[in-house]
Amino acid sequence: MFRLNVFIESVSSHLQTLVKLITLLFGIILFFGTVIHFIEPDTFPDLFDGVWWAIVTVSTVGYGDFVPESVYGRLLGFLLILTGVGTFSFYLANVASSAVSARNSIENGRASFHKSGHIIVVGWNERSRLLMEMIRQQSRDQKVVLIDESLETKPESLGWVHFVKGSASHDHVLEKANAREAGTAIITADLHEEEGTADSKTVLSILAIKGNHPEIYTIAEIVTEAQIKNARRAGADELVLSSLMLSSLMNNGPESHGVSSLMLTLLEKDTKNIMQLKNLPEECIGLTYGQLIEDWQFDGEHLLGIWRDDTAELLPPDQYKLKEGDHLVVLFKKK
């Protein structure tokens, strides 16, 4: 499949040259096939026989079912070999070199991505590697574009991923990744940089991606609390506070042994456990949390709390008043 994609890329990128070569080649075949038919009508009774002989000769197959018998016919065959075979060989060499060039462009991250609805992953690291493996396990049809400036070539394990070399804060790189038609962008922090610098690069990437496609859903990893507001100002739809999450898990560990494994179990897709935010139904606005639990039918969903102003209120008291804009935090098992 990869080789087929490379061939298609090579043909599309050199289409104009290939069309000219094919036109020239068929012109030569038609010309010599027509001339040999008129020179030797007994040997080549119709035009198709002449064209067939020219094709077989040009392609160096040489079946020998039609052979010129006259001196003029053989001279014509000599000219066909000099012109047609050379043109055909040049055509094959051009296709081969185009395929090699296209493959090198894909491997080195210089080729553009032209499909839509894909996921853009920014940064090559262990977190993004595991993320892309999970995406692949969940849907083999999901297209992923990796943007990274540290890689020289695409990793062998990511044959199904389209690689674009460069910084996600540059417009020409985002154009190659076709950010305008992407569905989601996931930006991982560059932990090779100092934490503040890494977050600054993430904020710049958010700004550039949102500038190219304001509607794209953007998930960004932030390391320091100081850059949270800037990331939100830049337009991030969702932030993953990696340092805070790790510190919280470690802090709960001494009192609640195994809590980190529990959180991983809740988040793993393989368990079919889905944690989700759902819009609060209009008829529930103004009710208390206790009334919501007592009266509302959740159809297999387990209510964990309320999401309000980017903060989760888990297991609030019964008198907790529900407001417009609240979301339900629910847990359910995917069928």
Side-chain angles (χ1 to χ4, degrees), residues 14-305:
H14 298 80
L15 186 60
Q16 189 174 2
T17 302
L18 293 177
V19 168
K20 289 180 179 179
L21 281 173
I22 292 173
T23 303
L24 176 62
L25 187 59
F26 273 95
I28 291 172
I29 290 171
L30 185 61
F31 172 78
F32 280 90
T34 303
V35 173
I36 196 66
H37 166 62
F38 285 106
I39 290 177
E40 298 189 18
D42 294 334
T43 307
F44 302 90
D46 55 50
L47 181 61
F48 180 78
D49 292 332
V51 172
W52 170 255
W53 165 77
I55 291 174
V56 169
T57 304
V58 164
S59 62
T60 68
V61 174
Y63 286 124
D65 50 351
F66 292 96
V67 180
E69 297 179 357
S70 67
V71 175
Y72 292 113
R74 291 179 180 179
L75 285 175
L76 188 68
F78 177 69
L79 290 174
L80 177 59
I81 291 171
L82 290 178
T83 56
V85 173
T87 304
F88 184 71
S89 300
F90 182 72
Y91 166 74
L92 292 180
N94 193 278
V95 171
S97 64
S98 298
V100 171
S101 176
R103 176 165 185 166
N104 289 337
S105 295
I106 292 172
E107 293 293 327
N108 297 332
R110 300 192 303 269
S112 297
F113 186 80
H114 301 292
K115 296 182 180 179
S116 60
H118 53 292
I119 297 174
I120 294 177
V121 177
V122 178
W124 172 246
N125 46 59
E126 184 63 13
R127 303 182 308 288
S128 61
R129 184 188 70 81
L130 291 172
L131 168 64
M132 287 185 282
E133 284 185 2
M134 292 177 183
I135 293 172
R136 183 66 166 171
Q137 290 172 3
Q138 292 161 25
S139 174
R140 301 187 71 84
D141 296 328
Q142 178 62 60
K143 304 299 180 183
V144 175
V145 175
L146 171 65
I147 298 178
D148 184 82
E149 56 185 332
S150 63
L151 287 172
E152 293 300 326
T153 58
K154 181 171 67 173
E156 293 184 3
S157 60
L158 299 180
W160 60 282
V161 173
H162 187 95
F163 168 52
V164 174
K165 182 174 176 61
S167 171
S169 60
H170 296 160
D171 283 345
H172 72 277
V173 174
L174 295 176
E175 286 176 6
K176 285 185 178 180
N178 198 17
R180 287 187 176 89
E181 297 186 62
T184 305
I186 303 174
I187 306 167
T188 63
D190 185 359
L191 299 184
H192 293 97
E193 300 278 1
E194 187 269 330
E195 290 180 345
T197 304
D199 281 347
S200 296
K201 289 177 64 175
T202 299
V203 171
L204 280 175
S205 295
I206 298 170
L207 279 170
I209 291 172
K210 281 291 189 178
N212 277 268
H213 183 13
E215 302 302 319
I216 189 173
Y217 192 86
T218 308
I219 304 170
E221 178 186 9
I222 293 294
V223 182
T224 62
E225 287 188 272
Q227 291 294 336
I228 293 176
K229 288 185 178 180
N230 287 333
R232 295 198 185 281
R233 290 190 189 108
D237 297 287
E238 191 171 333
L239 295 178
V240 178
L241 312 178
S242 55
S243 297
L244 180 60
M245 290 175 65
L246 184 60
S247 298
S248 298
L249 286 174
M250 289 181 172
N251 182 54
N252 280 281
E255 295 182 1
S256 305
H257 295 172
V259 68
S260 59
S261 298
L262 172 62
M263 291 303 298
L264 284 175
T265 301
L266 287 174
L267 294 174
E268 283 179 353
K269 288 286 187 180
D270 290 344
T271 62
K272 296 186 177 181
N273 295 314
I274 306 294
M275 190 180 296
Q276 195 175 67
L277 297 179
K278 298 187 67 174
N279 292 327
L280 180 69
E282 291 185 8
E283 58 266 33
C284 295
I285 297 174
L287 298 180
T288 63
Y289 186 75
Q291 291 173 324
L292 177 68
I293 295 176
E294 183 178 348
D295 299 336
W296 192 255
Q297 300 295 321
F298 291 99
D299 192 22
E301 298 168 340
H302 300 278
L303 184 62
L304 301 181

